[in-house]
Amino acid sequence: MPLHYKHGSVMIITMLILLAILLGFAFIGAVSIRSERGGVLTYGFYARARAAANACMETAIDRLGRDASYTGDESVDIGNGNTCTIHPIEEDTHWTIKTESQINDATVRMRAVLSSQN
């Protein structure tokens, strides 16, 4: 085999190896971007669920402040097709209010203990 054919095959093999390495980097980059995007979406769902649970907590505190016999145990429509849950209010020497909201896979639970209605 003449010498110039050997150099050509070495160059082709080198180019194929470099191409495989570059494709590997491109694949890793694409997977990383997809993972980051999923994390951002999850954080957005969590922030919305936290805001919804907080809105439920404010609603429960407001209703308890207006009516001391308010017991909770209801779902509240917070708009955009989302709801949150006010669990039954536990009354001891204090009132314990628990709320929960779930938006997609993000679930947020809140708990507040009130010592008085004022």
Side-chain angles (χ1 to χ4, degrees), residues 19 22 28 38-39 54 56 66 72 79 89-90 92 117:
L19 179 64
L22 288 174
I28 290 170
N54 190 49
C56 251
R66 294 173 190 264
I89 295 175
E90 301 168 12
D92 229 352
Q117 292 180 349

Side-chain angles (χ1 to χ4, degrees), residues 95-116:
W95 291 274
T96 302
I97 303 171
K98 296 177 183 175
T99 63
E100 181 177 341
S101 177
Q102 180 174 359
I103 296 181
N104 286 3
D105 291 337
T107 301
V108 173
R109 294 177 185 88
M110 290 189 170
R111 179 178 176 261
V113 178
L114 306 177
S115 59
S116 69

Side-chain angles (χ1 to χ4, degrees), residues 12-35:
I12 289 174
I13 291 172
T14 303
M15 293 301 289
L16 289 174
I17 291 172
L18 289 175
L19 179 64
I21 290 171
L22 288 174
L23 285 174
F25 284 137
F27 177 75
I28 290 170
V31 169
S32 176
I33 289 171
R34 181 179 166 100
S35 175

Side-chain angles (χ1 to χ4, degrees), residues 7 32 34 43 49 60 70 83 94 98 108:
H7 290 296
S32 176
R34 181 179 166 100
Y43 178 76
Y70 176 69
T83 60
H94 301 88
K98 296 177 183 175
V108 173

Side-chain angles (χ1 to χ4, degrees), residues 28 33 36 67 73-74 79 88:
I28 290 170
I33 289 171
E36 285 293 321
D67 179 8
D73 196 22
E74 67 176 320

Side-chain angles (χ1 to χ4, degrees), residues 4 9-11 20 46 52 55 62-63 65 74-77 81 90 92 95 98 106-107 110 112:
H4 65 281
S9 27
V10 169
M11 186 170 80
Y46 175 77
D62 180 60
R63 290 180 182 170
E74 67 176 320
S75 289
V76 178
D77 181 12
E90 301 168 12
D92 229 352
W95 291 274
K98 296 177 183 175
T107 301
M110 290 189 170

